[in-house]
Amino acid sequence: MSKELIMLGTGNAAARHCYNTCFLIRNEAEYFLVDGGGGNTVLNQLDAVNVSCKDIHALFVTHTHTDHLFGVVWIIRTIAQMINQKRYTGTLRIYTHDKVIHTLRTICSLTLPPKIQAQLDCGIVFHELTDGDGFTECGIRFQSFDIHSRKEKQFGFRATFADGTTLACLGDEPFNELNRSSVEGVDWLLCEAFCLYRDREEFSPYEKHHSTARDAGCLAQTLNVKHLLLYHTEDHTLDERKQAYTREAAQVFDGEVCVPDDLETVSLD
């Protein structure tokens, strides 16, 4: 089996020198998109990794913050246009919670032409999730969970591949103990790291309800995971980010630490 993460973006909301955090999960020849970043750059990122929107039929949206949602509007617009031009086969299935659905419908109704809006609930279908709901896409079993955000309703998920490999996406906020059963012991933990612990006074991660690379490493060690992937970072230290974040998390975590750059592919095999 060939399975991998394709990181379209790795930056936080304010990042200007890398794209906002969003990624593809590839399982064999199928793609599952998670969030869309903050704009139409998501289309450029897809082009850069040689993935067409016509190959994307499933999408998970974590929450309504602009750096995760606005790119989804461009995915909807592009795929709806492709459907109208008969260049897209099947449906786009969007999995998310009620607030995201309401927000996307509102934005689309205010900004997209009627012929594009006409594909909502037709060629583009929303699947509303509640805490703990499961679904299967791309040969992967997903279980959603409410991350119990202090700022904005947000869902993460646990993904289980046919060979038993497990991956947990915590969204872009710190882990909540209420989700331990969904996350503990996974093979891959995807976790935000707003900055290095050494730089916490400069970037104030805790005031923004975010974590440092050291915090993420401590969490991964506590949860007994095998691989820790860090994303949603500041973009002031990109030249040294991979080495510095890896080094800091590895000081407190015995497993493998992965700090990908934009457009980097990470094998899950």
Side-chain angles (χ1 to χ4, degrees):
M1 174 183 289
S2 178
K3 53 188 183 298
E4 59 192 18
L5 288 180
I6 303 172
M7 301 303 302
L8 301 179
T10 57
N12 64 26
R16 298 181 182 181
H17 305 295
C18 59
Y19 192 50
N20 311 123
T21 296
C22 56
F23 57 92
L24 291 162
I25 301 175
R26 185 177 73 85
N27 189 27
E28 299 294 351
E30 296 186 274
Y31 296 94
F32 184 86
L33 178 61
V34 180
D35 288 339
N40 69 352
T41 297
V42 67
L43 304 177
N44 295 337
Q45 301 300 84
L46 289 170
D47 284 346
V49 296
N50 296 313
V51 175
S52 170
C53 281
K54 68 181 178 61
D55 298 320
I56 298 173
H57 291 87
L59 165 60
F60 185 96
V61 188
T62 57
H63 62 301
T64 63
H65 284 170
T66 56
D67 57 313
H68 298 262
L69 190 76
F70 281 9
V72 175
V73 177
W74 283 96
I75 294 291
I76 290 173
R77 182 187 187 279
T78 301
I79 289 180
Q81 187 174 44
M82 295 175 80
I83 294 172
N84 288 337
Q85 296 170 346
K86 302 189 185 306
R87 295 191 294 117
Y88 185 91
T89 302
T91 61
L92 172 64
R93 299 172 293 280
I94 302 176
Y95 295 89
T96 188
H97 56 75
D98 56 348
K99 185 170 183 183
V100 169
I101 293 174
H102 172 73
T103 304
L104 280 173
R105 287 188 183 278
T106 300
I107 294 173
C108 289
S109 70
L110 293 173
T111 63
L112 299 181
K115 63 182 179 180
I116 297 296
Q117 294 182 45
Q119 289 300 334
L120 296 179
D121 303 314
C122 185
I124 299 172
V125 181
F126 292 107
H127 292 269
E128 183 178 332
L129 300 173
T130 59
D131 187 20
D133 282 351
F135 60 93
T136 299
E137 281 289 354
C138 305
I140 308 166
R141 182 61 182 169
F142 292 88
Q143 182 184 31
S144 66
F145 56 83
D146 190 328
I147 73 165
H148 302 283
S149 168
R150 298 178 188 174
K151 299 190 299 184
E152 176 66 26
K153 185 174 183 178
Q154 182 172 172
F155 276 18
F157 60 81
R158 179 185 179 116
T160 304
F161 293 81
D163 66 356
T165 299
T166 51
L167 175 151
C169 170
L170 292 178
D172 72 354
E173 293 190 27
F175 169 75
N176 190 302
E177 188 64 30
L178 292 172
N179 292 317
R180 177 173 286 271
S181 63
S182 297
V183 176
E184 191 167 25
V186 295
D187 295 302
W188 288 87
L189 180 67
L190 278 53
C191 184
E192 55 89 21
F194 197 79
C195 65
L196 295 169
Y197 185 76
R198 73 182 189 196
D199 296 331
R200 63 193 183 280
E201 292 187 5
E202 176 181 358
F203 294 106
S204 304
Y206 304 130
E207 294 176 13
K208 301 178 178 71
H209 197 49
H210 286 302
S211 307
T212 67
R214 184 180 185 277
D215 298 327
C218 289
L219 173 65
Q221 186 72 12
T222 300
L223 292 175
N224 194 33
V225 305
K226 295 180 181 178
H227 307 270
L228 172 64
L229 186 145
L230 302 180
Y231 57 28
H232 202 262
T233 77
E234 47 78 26
D235 65 342
H236 295 250
T237 61
L238 288 182
D239 289 343
E240 65 164 352
R241 181 179 65 176
K242 186 182 290 289
Q243 293 75 24
Y245 278 59
T246 299
R247 182 169 56 249
E248 184 170 280
Q251 290 174 354
V252 291
F253 174 53
D254 295 333
E256 179 187 1
V257 180
C258 179
V259 184
D261 293 321
D262 284 15
L263 307 179
E264 185 172 338
T265 295
V266 179
S267 174
L268 301 177
D269 287 327

Coordinates of all heavy atoms in Angstrom, one line a residue, residues 25-96:
I25 N -4.2 13.8 2.2 CA -3.8 12.4 2.6 C -4.0 11.6 1.3 O -5.1 11.5 0.7 CB -4.7 11.8 3.7 CG1 -4.6 12.7 5.0 CG2 -4.3 10.4 4.0 CD1 -5.5 12.2 6.1
R26 N -2.9 11.0 0.8 CA -3.1 10.1 -0.4 C -3.0 8.6 0.0 O -2.1 8.2 0.8 CB -1.9 10.4 -1.4 CG -2.1 9.6 -2.7 CD -1.0 9.9 -3.7 NE 0.2 9.3 -3.3 CZ 0.6 8.0 -3.6 NH1 -0.3 7.2 -4.2 NH2 1.8 7.5 -3.3
N27 N -4.0 7.9 -0.4 CA -4.1 6.5 -0.2 C -4.2 5.8 -1.5 O -5.3 5.9 -2.2 CB -5.3 6.1 0.7 CG -5.3 4.7 1.2 OD1 -4.2 4.0 1.3 ND2 -6.4 4.1 1.4
E28 N -3.1 5.2 -2.0 CA -3.1 4.7 -3.4 C -3.3 5.8 -4.3 O -2.6 6.8 -4.3 CB -4.0 3.5 -3.5 CG -3.8 2.3 -2.6 CD -2.5 1.6 -2.9 OE1 -1.8 1.9 -3.9 OE2 -2.1 0.7 -2.1
A29 N -4.4 5.8 -5.1 CA -4.6 6.8 -6.1 C -5.7 7.8 -5.7 O -6.1 8.6 -6.5 CB -5.0 6.2 -7.5
E30 N -6.1 7.7 -4.5 CA -7.2 8.6 -4.0 C -6.6 9.7 -3.0 O -5.7 9.4 -2.3 CB -8.3 7.8 -3.3 CG -9.0 6.8 -4.2 CD -10.1 6.1 -3.5 OE1 -9.9 5.1 -2.8 OE2 -11.3 6.6 -3.6
Y31 N -7.3 10.9 -3.1 CA -6.8 12.0 -2.3 C -7.9 12.5 -1.3 O -9.1 12.7 -1.8 CB -6.4 13.1 -3.2 CG -5.2 12.8 -4.1 CD1 -5.4 12.3 -5.4 CD2 -3.9 13.0 -3.6 CE1 -4.3 12.1 -6.2 CE2 -2.8 12.7 -4.4 CZ -3.0 12.3 -5.7 OH -1.9 12.0 -6.5
F32 N -7.5 12.8 -0.1 CA -8.4 13.3 0.9 C -7.8 14.6 1.3 O -6.7 14.7 1.9 CB -8.6 12.3 2.1 CG -9.6 12.8 3.1 CD1 -10.9 12.4 3.0 CD2 -9.1 13.4 4.2 CE1 -11.8 12.8 4.0 CE2 -10.1 13.8 5.2 CZ -11.4 13.5 5.1
L33 N -8.5 15.8 1.1 CA -8.0 17.1 1.4 C -8.5 17.5 2.8 O -9.7 17.4 3.1 CB -8.5 18.1 0.4 CG -8.1 19.5 0.6 CD1 -6.6 19.7 0.5 CD2 -8.8 20.4 -0.5
V34 N -7.6 18.1 3.6 CA -7.9 18.6 4.9 C -7.7 20.1 4.9 O -6.5 20.5 4.8 CB -7.1 17.9 6.0 CG1 -7.4 18.5 7.4 CG2 -7.3 16.4 6.0
D35 N -8.7 20.9 5.0 CA -8.7 22.3 5.0 C -8.2 22.9 3.7 O -7.8 22.1 2.8 CB -7.9 22.9 6.2 CG -8.6 22.7 7.5 OD1 -9.8 22.6 7.5 OD2 -7.9 22.8 8.6
G36 N -8.2 24.2 3.5 CA -7.9 24.8 2.2 C -6.9 26.0 2.3 O -6.6 26.6 1.3
G37 N -6.5 26.3 3.5 CA -5.7 27.5 3.7 C -6.5 28.7 3.5 O -7.8 28.7 3.4
G38 N -5.9 29.9 3.3 CA -6.6 31.1 3.4 C -6.9 31.8 2.0 O -7.4 32.9 2.0
G39 N -6.7 31.1 0.9 CA -7.1 31.7 -0.4 C -6.8 30.9 -1.6 O -6.6 29.7 -1.4
N40 N -6.8 31.5 -2.7 CA -6.7 30.7 -4.0 C -5.3 30.1 -4.2 O -5.0 29.4 -5.2 CB -7.1 31.5 -5.2 CG -6.2 32.6 -5.6 OD1 -5.3 33.0 -4.9 ND2 -6.5 33.2 -6.7
T41 N -4.3 30.5 -3.3 CA -3.0 29.8 -3.4 C -3.1 28.3 -3.2 O -2.2 27.6 -3.7 CB -2.1 30.4 -2.3 OG1 -1.9 31.8 -2.5 CG2 -0.7 29.7 -2.3
V42 N -4.2 27.8 -2.6 CA -4.4 26.4 -2.6 C -4.4 25.8 -4.0 O -3.9 24.6 -4.1 CB -5.7 26.0 -1.8 CG1 -6.9 26.4 -2.6 CG2 -5.7 24.5 -1.5
L43 N -4.9 26.5 -4.9 CA -4.9 26.0 -6.3 C -3.4 25.9 -6.9 O -3.1 24.9 -7.6 CB -5.7 26.8 -7.2 CG -7.2 27.0 -6.7 CD1 -7.9 28.0 -7.7 CD2 -7.9 25.7 -6.7
N44 N -2.6 26.9 -6.6 CA -1.2 26.9 -7.0 C -0.5 25.7 -6.3 O 0.4 25.0 -6.9 CB -0.5 28.2 -6.6 CG -1.0 29.4 -7.3 OD1 -1.6 29.2 -8.4 ND2 -0.9 30.5 -6.8
Q45 N -0.8 25.5 -5.0 CA -0.1 24.4 -4.3 C -0.5 23.0 -4.9 O 0.4 22.1 -5.0 CB -0.5 24.5 -2.8 CG -0.1 25.8 -2.1 CD 1.4 26.1 -2.1 OE1 1.9 26.6 -3.1 NE2 2.1 25.7 -1.0
L46 N -1.7 22.9 -5.2 CA -2.2 21.6 -5.8 C -1.4 21.4 -7.2 O -1.0 20.3 -7.5 CB -3.7 21.6 -6.0 CG -4.5 21.4 -4.8 CD1 -6.0 21.7 -5.1 CD2 -4.3 20.0 -4.2
D47 N -1.4 22.5 -8.0 CA -0.6 22.4 -9.2 C 0.8 22.0 -9.0 O 1.4 21.2 -9.7 CB -0.6 23.7 -10.0 CG -2.0 24.0 -10.6 OD1 -2.8 23.1 -10.7 OD2 -2.2 25.2 -11.0
A48 N 1.4 22.5 -7.9 CA 2.8 22.3 -7.7 C 3.1 20.8 -7.3 O 4.2 20.3 -7.5 CB 3.3 23.2 -6.5
V49 N 2.1 20.1 -6.8 CA 2.3 18.7 -6.4 C 1.6 17.8 -7.4 O 1.4 16.6 -7.2 CB 1.8 18.4 -5.0 CG1 2.7 19.2 -4.0 CG2 0.3 18.7 -4.8
N50 N 1.2 18.4 -8.6 CA 0.6 17.6 -9.7 C -0.7 16.9 -9.3 O -0.9 15.8 -9.7 CB 1.7 16.6 -10.2 CG 2.8 17.3 -10.9 OD1 2.7 18.3 -11.6 ND2 4.0 16.9 -10.5
V51 N -1.5 17.6 -8.5 CA -2.8 17.0 -8.2 C -3.9 18.0 -8.7 O -3.8 19.2 -8.4 CB -3.0 16.9 -6.6 CG1 -4.4 16.4 -6.3 CG2 -2.0 15.9 -6.1
S52 N -4.8 17.5 -9.5 CA -5.9 18.3 -10.0 C -7.1 18.2 -9.1 O -7.3 17.2 -8.4 CB -6.3 17.7 -11.4 OG -7.5 18.3 -11.9
C53 N -7.9 19.3 -9.1 CA -9.1 19.3 -8.4 C -10.0 18.2 -8.8 O -10.9 17.7 -8.0 CB -9.8 20.7 -8.5 SG -9.1 22.0 -7.5
K54 N -9.9 17.7 -10.1 CA -10.8 16.7 -10.5 C -10.5 15.3 -9.8 O -11.3 14.4 -9.9 CB -10.7 16.5 -12.0 CG -9.4 16.0 -12.6 CD -9.4 15.9 -14.1 CE -8.1 15.4 -14.6 NZ -7.7 14.1 -14.1
D55 N -9.3 15.3 -9.2 CA -8.9 14.0 -8.5 C -9.3 14.1 -7.0 O -9.1 13.1 -6.3 CB -7.4 13.8 -8.6 CG -7.0 13.6 -10.0 OD1 -7.7 12.9 -10.7 OD2 -5.9 14.2 -10.4
I56 N -9.9 15.2 -6.5 CA -10.3 15.4 -5.1 C -11.8 15.2 -5.0 O -12.6 16.0 -5.6 CB -9.9 16.7 -4.6 CG1 -8.3 16.9 -4.7 CG2 -10.4 16.9 -3.2 CD1 -7.8 18.2 -4.3
H57 N -12.3 14.2 -4.2 CA -13.7 14.0 -4.1 C -14.1 14.0 -2.6 O -15.3 13.8 -2.3 CB -14.1 12.6 -4.7 CG -14.0 12.7 -6.2 ND1 -12.8 12.4 -6.9 CD2 -14.9 13.0 -7.1 CE1 -13.1 12.5 -8.2 NE2 -14.3 12.9 -8.4
A58 N -13.2 14.2 -1.7 CA -13.5 14.2 -0.3 C -12.6 15.3 0.4 O -11.4 15.4 0.2 CB -13.2 12.8 0.4
L59 N -13.3 16.0 1.3 CA -12.6 17.2 2.0 C -13.2 17.3 3.4 O -14.3 17.1 3.7 CB -13.0 18.4 1.2 CG -12.8 19.8 1.8 CD1 -11.4 20.1 2.1 CD2 -13.3 20.9 0.8
F60 N -12.2 17.5 4.3 CA -12.6 17.7 5.7 C -12.2 19.1 6.1 O -11.1 19.5 5.9 CB -11.8 16.7 6.6 CG -12.1 16.7 8.1 CD1 -13.1 15.8 8.6 CD2 -11.5 17.6 9.0 CE1 -13.4 15.8 9.9 CE2 -11.9 17.6 10.3 CZ -12.8 16.7 10.8
V61 N -13.1 19.8 6.8 CA -12.8 21.2 7.2 C -12.9 21.2 8.7 O -13.9 20.9 9.3 CB -13.8 22.2 6.6 CG1 -13.4 23.6 6.9 CG2 -14.0 22.0 5.1
T62 N -11.8 21.7 9.3 CA -11.7 21.7 10.8 C -12.6 22.8 11.4 O -13.3 22.5 12.4 CB -10.3 21.8 11.2 OG1 -9.7 23.0 10.7 CG2 -9.5 20.6 10.8
H63 N -12.5 24.0 10.9 CA -13.2 25.1 11.5 C -13.2 26.3 10.6 O -12.7 26.3 9.5 CB -12.5 25.5 12.9 CG -11.1 26.0 12.8 ND1 -10.1 25.2 12.3 CD2 -10.5 27.1 13.2 CE1 -8.9 25.9 12.3 NE2 -9.2 27.1 12.9
T64 N -13.8 27.4 11.1 CA -14.2 28.5 10.2 C -13.1 29.6 10.2 O -13.4 30.6 9.5 CB -15.5 29.2 10.6 OG1 -15.4 29.7 12.0 CG2 -16.6 28.2 10.6
H65 N -12.0 29.5 10.8 CA -11.0 30.6 10.7 C -10.6 30.8 9.3 O -10.4 29.8 8.5 CB -9.8 30.3 11.6 CG -10.1 30.5 13.1 ND1 -9.3 30.1 14.1 CD2 -11.2 31.1 13.7 CE1 -9.8 30.5 15.3 NE2 -10.9 31.0 15.1
T66 N -10.3 32.0 8.9 CA -10.0 32.3 7.5 C -8.8 31.5 6.9 O -8.9 31.2 5.7 CB -9.7 33.8 7.4 OG1 -8.6 34.2 8.2 CG2 -10.9 34.7 7.7
D67 N -7.8 31.2 7.7 CA -6.7 30.6 7.2 C -6.9 29.1 6.9 O -6.0 28.4 6.4 CB -5.5 30.7 8.2 CG -5.7 30.2 9.6 OD1 -6.8 30.6 10.1 OD2 -4.9 29.5 10.1
H68 N -8.1 28.6 7.3 CA -8.5 27.2 7.0 C -9.6 27.1 6.0 O -9.8 26.2 5.2 CB -8.8 26.5 8.2 CG -7.7 26.4 9.2 ND1 -6.9 25.3 9.3 CD2 -7.2 27.3 10.1 CE1 -6.0 25.5 10.2 NE2 -6.2 26.7 10.8
L69 N -10.5 28.2 6.0 CA -11.7 28.1 5.3 C -11.7 28.7 3.9 O -12.4 28.2 3.0 CB -12.8 28.8 6.1 CG -14.2 28.6 5.7 CD1 -14.8 27.3 6.0 CD2 -15.1 29.7 6.3
F70 N -11.1 29.9 3.7 CA -11.2 30.6 2.5 C -10.7 29.8 1.3 O -11.3 30.0 0.2 CB -10.5 32.0 2.6 CG -11.3 33.0 3.3 CD1 -12.5 32.7 4.0 CD2 -10.9 34.3 3.3 CE1 -13.2 33.6 4.7 CE2 -11.7 35.3 4.0 CZ -12.8 34.9 4.7
G71 N -9.7 29.0 1.4 CA -9.2 28.2 0.4 C -10.3 27.2 -0.1 O -10.3 26.8 -1.2
V72 N -11.1 26.8 0.9 CA -12.2 25.8 0.6 C -13.2 26.4 -0.4 O -13.7 25.7 -1.3 CB -12.9 25.3 1.9 CG1 -14.0 24.4 1.6 CG2 -11.9 24.6 2.8
V73 N -13.4 27.7 -0.2 CA -14.3 28.4 -1.1 C -13.8 28.3 -2.6 O -14.6 28.1 -3.5 CB -14.6 29.9 -0.7 CG1 -15.4 30.6 -1.7 CG2 -15.2 29.9 0.7
W74 N -12.5 28.5 -2.7 CA -11.9 28.4 -4.1 C -11.9 26.9 -4.6 O -12.1 26.7 -5.8 CB -10.4 28.9 -4.0 CG -10.4 30.4 -4.0 CD1 -10.3 31.2 -2.9 CD2 -10.5 31.2 -5.1 NE1 -10.3 32.5 -3.3 CE2 -10.4 32.6 -4.6 CE3 -10.6 31.0 -6.5 CZ2 -10.5 33.7 -5.4 CZ3 -10.7 32.1 -7.3 CH2 -10.6 33.4 -6.8
I75 N -11.8 25.9 -3.7 CA -12.0 24.5 -4.2 C -13.4 24.3 -4.6 O -13.7 23.7 -5.7 CB -11.7 23.6 -3.0 CG1 -10.2 23.7 -2.6 CG2 -12.0 22.2 -3.4 CD1 -9.2 23.1 -3.7
I76 N -14.4 24.8 -3.9 CA -15.8 24.7 -4.3 C -16.0 25.4 -5.6 O -16.7 24.8 -6.5 CB -16.7 25.3 -3.2 CG1 -16.7 24.4 -1.9 CG2 -18.1 25.5 -3.7 CD1 -17.5 25.0 -0.7
R77 N -15.5 26.6 -5.8 CA -15.7 27.3 -7.0 C -15.1 26.6 -8.2 O -15.8 26.5 -9.2 CB -15.1 28.7 -6.9 CG -15.3 29.6 -8.1 CD -14.5 30.9 -8.0 NE -14.7 31.8 -9.0 CZ -14.2 31.8 -10.3 NH1 -13.3 30.8 -10.5 NH2 -14.5 32.7 -11.2
T78 N -13.9 26.1 -8.0 CA -13.2 25.4 -9.1 C -13.9 24.1 -9.5 O -14.1 23.9 -10.7 CB -11.8 25.2 -8.7 OG1 -11.1 26.4 -8.4 CG2 -11.0 24.5 -9.8
I79 N -14.3 23.3 -8.5 CA -14.9 22.1 -8.8 C -16.3 22.3 -9.4 O -16.7 21.6 -10.3 CB -14.9 21.2 -7.6 CG1 -13.5 20.7 -7.3 CG2 -15.9 20.0 -7.8 CD1 -13.3 19.8 -6.1
A80 N -17.1 23.2 -8.9 CA -18.4 23.5 -9.4 C -18.3 23.9 -10.9 O -19.1 23.5 -11.8 CB -19.1 24.6 -8.6
Q81 N -17.3 24.7 -11.2 CA -17.1 25.1 -12.6 C -16.7 23.9 -13.5 O -17.2 23.8 -14.6 CB -16.0 26.2 -12.7 CG -15.7 26.8 -14.0 CD -14.7 27.9 -14.0 OE1 -13.7 27.8 -13.4 NE2 -15.1 29.0 -14.7
M82 N -15.9 23.0 -12.9 CA -15.5 21.8 -13.7 C -16.7 20.9 -13.9 O -16.9 20.3 -15.0 CB -14.4 21.1 -12.9 CG -13.1 21.8 -12.8 SD -11.9 21.0 -11.8 CE -11.3 19.8 -13.0
I83 N -17.6 20.8 -12.9 CA -18.8 20.0 -13.1 C -19.7 20.6 -14.2 O -20.2 19.9 -15.0 CB -19.6 20.0 -11.7 CG1 -18.8 19.2 -10.7 CG2 -21.0 19.4 -12.0 CD1 -19.5 19.3 -9.3
N84 N -19.8 21.9 -14.2 CA -20.6 22.6 -15.2 C -20.0 22.4 -16.6 O -20.8 22.4 -17.6 CB -20.7 24.1 -14.9 CG -21.6 24.4 -13.7 OD1 -22.5 23.6 -13.4 ND2 -21.4 25.5 -13.1
Q85 N -18.7 22.3 -16.6 CA -18.1 22.0 -17.9 C -17.9 20.6 -18.3 O -17.3 20.2 -19.3 CB -16.7 22.7 -17.9 CG -16.7 24.2 -17.8 CD -15.4 24.8 -17.5 OE1 -14.4 24.2 -17.2 NE2 -15.3 26.2 -17.6
K86 N -18.5 19.7 -17.4 CA -18.4 18.3 -17.6 C -17.0 17.7 -17.6 O -16.6 16.8 -18.3 CB -19.2 17.8 -18.8 CG -20.6 18.3 -18.9 CD -21.4 17.7 -20.0 CE -22.8 18.2 -20.1 NZ -23.6 18.1 -18.8
R87 N -16.2 18.4 -16.7 CA -14.8 17.9 -16.6 C -14.5 17.3 -15.3 O -13.3 17.1 -14.9 CB -13.8 19.1 -16.8 CG -13.9 19.7 -18.2 CD -12.7 20.7 -18.4 NE -12.9 21.9 -17.6 CZ -12.0 22.3 -16.7 NH1 -10.9 21.5 -16.4 NH2 -12.2 23.4 -16.0
Y88 N -15.6 17.0 -14.5 CA -15.4 16.4 -13.2 C -16.4 15.3 -13.0 O -17.6 15.5 -13.3 CB -15.7 17.5 -12.1 CG -15.5 17.1 -10.7 CD1 -14.2 17.3 -10.1 CD2 -16.5 16.5 -9.9 CE1 -14.0 16.9 -8.7 CE2 -16.3 16.2 -8.6 CZ -15.1 16.4 -8.0 OH -14.9 16.0 -6.7
T89 N -16.0 14.1 -12.6 CA -16.8 13.0 -12.5 C -17.1 12.7 -11.0 O -16.2 12.7 -10.2 CB -16.2 11.7 -13.1 OG1 -15.9 12.0 -14.5 CG2 -17.1 10.5 -13.0
G90 N -18.4 12.4 -10.7 CA -18.8 12.1 -9.3 C -19.1 13.4 -8.5 O -19.5 14.4 -9.1
T91 N -19.0 13.3 -7.2 CA -19.4 14.4 -6.3 C -18.2 14.8 -5.5 O -17.3 14.0 -5.2 CB -20.6 14.1 -5.4 OG1 -20.2 12.9 -4.6 CG2 -21.8 13.7 -6.3
L92 N -18.2 16.0 -5.0 CA -17.3 16.4 -3.9 C -18.0 16.3 -2.6 O -19.1 17.0 -2.4 CB -16.8 17.9 -4.1 CG -16.0 18.5 -3.0 CD1 -14.7 17.7 -2.8 CD2 -15.7 20.0 -3.2
R93 N -17.5 15.6 -1.7 CA -18.1 15.4 -0.4 C -17.3 16.1 0.7 O -16.2 15.9 0.9 CB -18.2 13.9 -0.1 CG -19.1 13.1 -1.1 CD -19.0 11.6 -0.9 NE -17.7 11.1 -1.2 CZ -17.2 10.8 -2.4 NH1 -17.9 11.1 -3.5 NH2 -16.0 10.3 -2.6
I94 N -18.0 17.1 1.3 CA -17.4 17.9 2.4 C -17.9 17.5 3.7 O -19.0 17.6 4.1 CB -17.7 19.4 2.1 CG1 -17.2 19.8 0.7 CG2 -17.0 20.3 3.2 CD1 -17.6 21.2 0.4
Y95 N -16.9 17.0 4.6 CA -17.2 16.6 5.9 C -16.8 17.6 6.9 O -15.6 18.0 7.0 CB -16.5 15.3 6.2 CG -16.9 14.1 5.3 CD1 -16.3 13.9 4.1 CD2 -17.9 13.2 5.7 CE1 -16.7 12.8 3.3 CE2 -18.3 12.2 4.9 CZ -17.7 12.0 3.7 OH -18.1 10.9 2.9
T96 N -17.8 18.0 7.8 CA -17.5 19.1 8.7 C -18.6 19.2 9.7 O -19.7 18.5 9.5 CB -17.1 20.4 8.0 OG1 -16.6 21.3 9.0 CG2 -18.3 21.0 7.3

